Amino acid sequence: MSRCARATIHLAALRSNLARVRELAPRSKVMAVVKADGYGHGLERVASALQGADALGVASIADGQRIRASGLSNRIVVLSGIDEPADIDTMRRLNLDSVIHHESQLQWLESDPGAGALRVWLKVDTGMHRLGFPVAAAAEAYARLRRIAWIDPQVVLMTHFANSDQVGDPLTAAQIAGFSRLAQGLPPAACSLSNSAGLVAFPDAHADWVRVGGLLYGISLLPQTALDLGFHAAMTLSTKLIAINRIDKGERIGYGQTWECPETMSVGVAAIGYGDGYPRQAPAGTPVLVRGRPVPLIGRVSMDLITLDLRDLPDAQIGDPVVLWGGGLPVERVAQASGTIGYELVCGMTRRVEFVEDHQSL
Ligand SMILES: *Cc1c(COP(=O)(O)O)cnc(C)c1O
């Protein structure tokens, strides 16, 4: 028998979430970010479900190539752009847009013989200090790009927020202001600033393009869950109860014997663990749904198994469905308990988890 750990991908939720993004940013184009294998949901299926977006954003040319191989002709933006001069031709051949964030990339473009057009997005560093030209160097970089005859003249200006999920943090306002000053000094160009948190928290910064990942998968980094914001979980991680044991008062559960039974009680064992991508850091008390009802995790998460306090669920039976996150249990709650973010959890499914597509409407 195969193991029962299963990630169900709700295609209707992806489409509905894209519609919700358009509702929130009605005047902007939407780049659906599908990096990291579609945030762990499966690149091709996510790209196909989100092909109504105005562009797809990927982290690597290889991901762009996979999307092209699946037959989609959507605009695709490679968010870190070219890694070496030979990538320029690959991008032309695959019709991928390149972000240009560094002097080295600009020089490769200037030295290229120019056999064909390329669309580029100029990335400006307004304070995150990861990728991008410094604000003071951006106008010159823009002018150099415009002098390259084979570069599409519609260069998109972009920047990325460091703290847009931290409500009230002054950095985001400073990033928006710095970017706006720069854009006003340049010939009119399309602009893009917001990620998911910016989409919700900074409506004035929607500009021409929003770039949205997390919320499309139904995951929020803001204090509100994605569900509260009108989005639906695109992944449900589930398994089954494979044992129920009566354990005496005072006995301790699992590796490290970290949890002691306060009374003689019923302990459930579910077939999932960190070997599937369920976080080992999840502490006792992390909610898990059995038959749709919340029960607390107890003891340490092991590679293949977790243990559950079934005192509030006396009718639980072997074979009962267990949901780790998804419909009925926001992944944000599991992430918060485990000291991480929902993005990391959904990106972490291992190869032994069976992926199933749900084609039902919401
Ligand atoms: C990942 C990424 C996004 C999307 O961020 P979310 O928080 O998932 O919406 C947007 N822009 C860039 C440059 C990114 O790398």
Side-chain angles (χ1 to χ4, degrees), residues 63-281:
D63 282 358
Q65 190 162 27
R66 276 174 64 188
I67 297 174
R68 289 286 177 253
S70 79
L72 292 187
S73 56
N74 294 60
R75 188 167 181 181
I76 298 175
V77 182
V78 181
L79 292 169
S80 50
I82 47 179
D83 295 328
E84 55 184 22
D87 287 346
I88 300 171
D89 266 337
T90 311
M91 290 224 177
R92 285 190 182 111
R93 184 167 44 80
L94 294 168
N95 190 22
L96 308 177
D97 290 22
S98 178
V99 167
I100 298 298
H101 60 79
H102 197 272
E103 172 65 26
S104 58
Q105 296 176 320
L106 191 47
Q107 286 175 12
W108 296 333
L109 295 178
E110 286 172 333
S111 315
D112 185 86
L118 185 74
R119 281 197 287 213
V120 303
W121 298 53
L122 178 64
K123 185 162 188 178
V124 183
D125 174 19
T126 53
M128 175 142 175
H129 304 318
R130 192 180 58 179
L131 295 183
F133 288 87
V135 174
E140 173 62 17
Y142 181 81
R144 283 167 64 191
L145 278 175
R146 293 297 313 274
R147 280 199 291 272
I148 303 173
W150 49 269
I151 298 261
D152 186 296
Q154 317 242 297
V155 174
V156 183
L157 282 179
M158 65 181 281
T159 195
H160 194 50
F161 294 143
N163 285 358
S164 52
D165 53 336
Q166 276 144 63
V167 180
D169 186 303
L171 178 63
T172 312
Q175 289 193 267
I176 295 169
F179 186 82
S180 302
R181 274 195 304 277
L182 169 73
Q184 277 155 21
L186 292 175
C191 291
S192 176
L193 302 86
S194 290
N195 52 7
S196 290
L199 166 78
V200 173
F202 295 89
D204 293 344
H206 287 167
D208 301 288
W209 284 88
V210 293
R211 308 184 309 273
V212 183
L215 284 175
L216 288 173
Y217 305 94
I219 311 170
S220 164
L221 301 181
L222 289 159
Q224 309 95 307
T225 62
L227 193 63
D228 293 335
L229 295 167
F231 294 87
H232 300 277
M235 176 192 289
T236 296
L237 179 64
S238 63
T239 184
K240 286 181 180 163
L241 216 49
I242 61 165
I244 299 175
N245 299 308
R246 196 113 191 112
I247 308 292
D248 288 339
K249 174 178 179 175
E251 291 296 309
R252 293 169 159 269
I253 308 292
Y255 288 123
Q257 299 277 279
T258 57
W259 199 86
E260 180 178 325
C261 296
E263 58 188 313
T264 297
M265 60 181 277
S266 173
V267 171
V269 183
I272 196 141
Y274 64 80
D276 303 288
Y278 189 80
R280 184 171 177 278
Q281 293 74 14

